Amino acid sequence: MNLFTKLFFSAAAVTGSLTAARAQQVPKTVIAEHFTNTLCSVCASRNPGFYSNLWNYPQVLHVAYHPSSPYAGCTLSMANPAENDARTNFYGLYGGTPTLAVQGLVVSGTFTDASIFTSKLAQLTSFSMRITTTAQGADSVKVVTTIKKVDTSSVTNLQFYGLVAEDTLNFTSGNGEAHHYDVFRQSLSGTTSVNVSSLVSVGDSFMHTKVLAIKTTWTRNKLFAVGILQDNSKNVLQAAKSGHIPSAPSAVTTLAVQPDVNIYPNPATDKLFIEGDFQLPIAIAITDSKGAVVVTQKISTTGAIDISALKPGVYFIHIDGGQNSPVHKFLKN
């Protein structure tokens, strides 16, 4: 074997090793798609148990759709009946509420069994996803979703579904529910998903961009975007959520599948720790499920955030890290 041949095979081996090193699966984010109705008395009796179960798993994303059946007069359904109904029909669930799909699989029962979430956690996927939201003037937002293939699997026939939701609406509806969480507002692609055919080899990417007008009935700083990647059998391969839509035209919020920020422990009781790829000092704010600020703190060195005075429940920690300002959910025991 001559010197050129040795060098060629040596270079090929190094290239192959680098490719193998890069071709690694990433954690899969779990999403619960919840179909409910503000006039449904059964929903009013079953939803509290579902939310109690969900809040034990703050890493699980959640979206609540409001189909027009069985009650077409539902206030949240009437705001966008075509797209609420389309997503419900996607899973064959139109006609009754409450219903639920976790990772694209329809769940039966009362939704209080922890296994509907625990059985889906700690799984890996061949796709990473990142969502950014950028204010476009005072009344619009640009949502950009980027999906990349990160390993050599042969998964094909993919479809992307994106949406904008509002984290909390507080009003007493016809069935007596006073709080409505992660309410679907608008799809990023109308009544259908977007076919994705470009994710074939490691490193391939798909980008979806949509500019949405922010309606006057929406509360801007409570809005966030969600992306869902599914296969032809509706199995969720990846999901991601952005931070809240910024108010300043120059601001951008981002939350990737593998965020650069680690909040632990989660759930937490007395102390909460934060680590991440940012420069100290940083300012943090913690808000409750209604958006009220309950803790503010400046962190100049690695340390703990005292949450002992907070009541048990779900909270959001907002990190002022500059251009990319992630928002994370945690549970206070």
Side-chain angles (χ1 to χ4, degrees):
M1 182 180 292
N2 60 35
L3 179 60
F4 174 79
T5 304
K6 290 180 179 179
L7 290 173
F8 175 82
F9 280 107
S10 178
V14 172
T15 301
S17 298
L18 291 174
T19 300
R22 289 194 301 266
Q24 296 180 356
Q25 292 188 320
V26 296
K28 182 187 294 185
T29 298
V30 177
I31 183 165
E33 295 182 85
H34 177 206
F35 304 87
T36 183
N37 191 287
T38 61
L39 297 179
C40 166
S41 59
V42 178
C43 299
S45 64
R46 292 178 58 183
N47 282 348
F50 163 70
Y51 282 120
S52 293
N53 188 16
L54 175 70
W55 289 337
N56 287 323
Y57 304 95
Q59 68 270 52
V60 175
L61 304 185
H62 168 254
V63 179
Y65 306 90
H66 291 77
S68 62
S69 179
Y71 302 100
C74 168
T75 302
L76 299 178
S77 175
M78 290 192 295
N80 189 348
E83 293 180 355
N84 274 292
D85 289 354
R87 193 61 178 172
T88 313
N89 280 314
F90 176 77
Y91 289 112
L93 294 174
Y94 188 77
T97 50
T99 51
L100 180 68
V102 178
Q103 292 302 73
L105 301 175
V106 175
V107 176
S108 58
T110 60
F111 315 149
T112 57
D113 187 344
S115 68
I116 66 176
F117 301 125
T118 57
S119 63
K120 307 295 190 303
L121 297 174
Q123 296 183 6
L124 299 177
T125 180
S126 303
F127 305 94
S128 67
M129 184 184 296
R130 177 185 179 91
I131 301 181
T132 64
T133 60
T134 308
Q136 303 287 287
D139 58 1
S140 296
V141 62
K142 180 168 73 172
V143 182
V144 179
T145 306
T146 304
I147 305 172
K148 291 185 178 180
K149 192 168 191 292
V150 297
D151 83 338
T152 57
S153 66
S154 58
V155 181
T156 57
N157 298 318
L158 305 176
Q159 50 188 311
F160 167 73
Y161 184 74
L163 61 101
V164 168
E166 191 164 344
D167 63 24
T168 312
L169 295 177
N170 299 310
F171 68 92
T172 301
S173 56
N175 65 356
E177 289 184 285
H179 307 294
H180 312 271
Y181 303 107
D182 305 323
V183 175
F184 170 83
R185 284 307 201 179
Q186 188 168 330
S187 165
L188 300 181
S189 59
T191 57
T192 59
S193 300
V194 177
N195 292 326
V196 179
S197 59
S198 58
L199 300 176
V200 178
S201 303
V202 175
D204 286 350
S205 63
F206 163 84
M207 179 177 288
H208 183 272
T209 301
K210 178 70 175 181
V211 176
L212 289 179
I214 298 175
K215 297 184 179 180
T216 56
T217 54
W218 303 350
T219 302
R220 184 190 187 107
N221 62 5
K222 291 186 176 183
L223 297 173
F224 59 90
V226 171
I228 306 170
L229 182 69
Q230 295 173 275
D231 64 18
N232 210 33
S233 298
K234 300 184 175 64
N235 297 304
V236 172
L237 304 177
Q238 191 55 285
K241 173 185 174 181
S242 77
H244 288 83
I245 291 175
S247 57
S250 61
V252 178
T253 63
T254 303
L255 187 60
V257 168
Q258 291 180 298
D260 294 329
V261 175
N262 183 30
I263 306 286
Y264 66 94
N266 195 355
T269 303
D270 297 314
K271 303 291 184 182
L272 194 66
F273 295 85
I274 177 171
E275 295 177 348
D277 184 16
F278 44 70
Q279 292 184 339
L280 298 174
I282 61 168
I284 65 96
I286 296 177
T287 59
D288 62 19
S289 60
K290 297 180 182 180
V293 177
V294 292
V295 173
T296 59
Q297 184 173 326
K298 187 174 182 178
I299 300 175
S300 55
T301 60
T302 302
I305 303 168
D306 185 359
I307 59 169
S308 59
L310 298 181
K311 296 179 180 179
V314 174
Y315 294 88
F316 300 87
I317 183 167
H318 305 253
I319 304 161
D320 181 15
Q323 183 182 21
N324 294 327
S325 300
V327 179
H328 289 261
K329 183 190 294 184
F330 71 91
L331 180 69
K332 166 65 164 64
N333 284 334

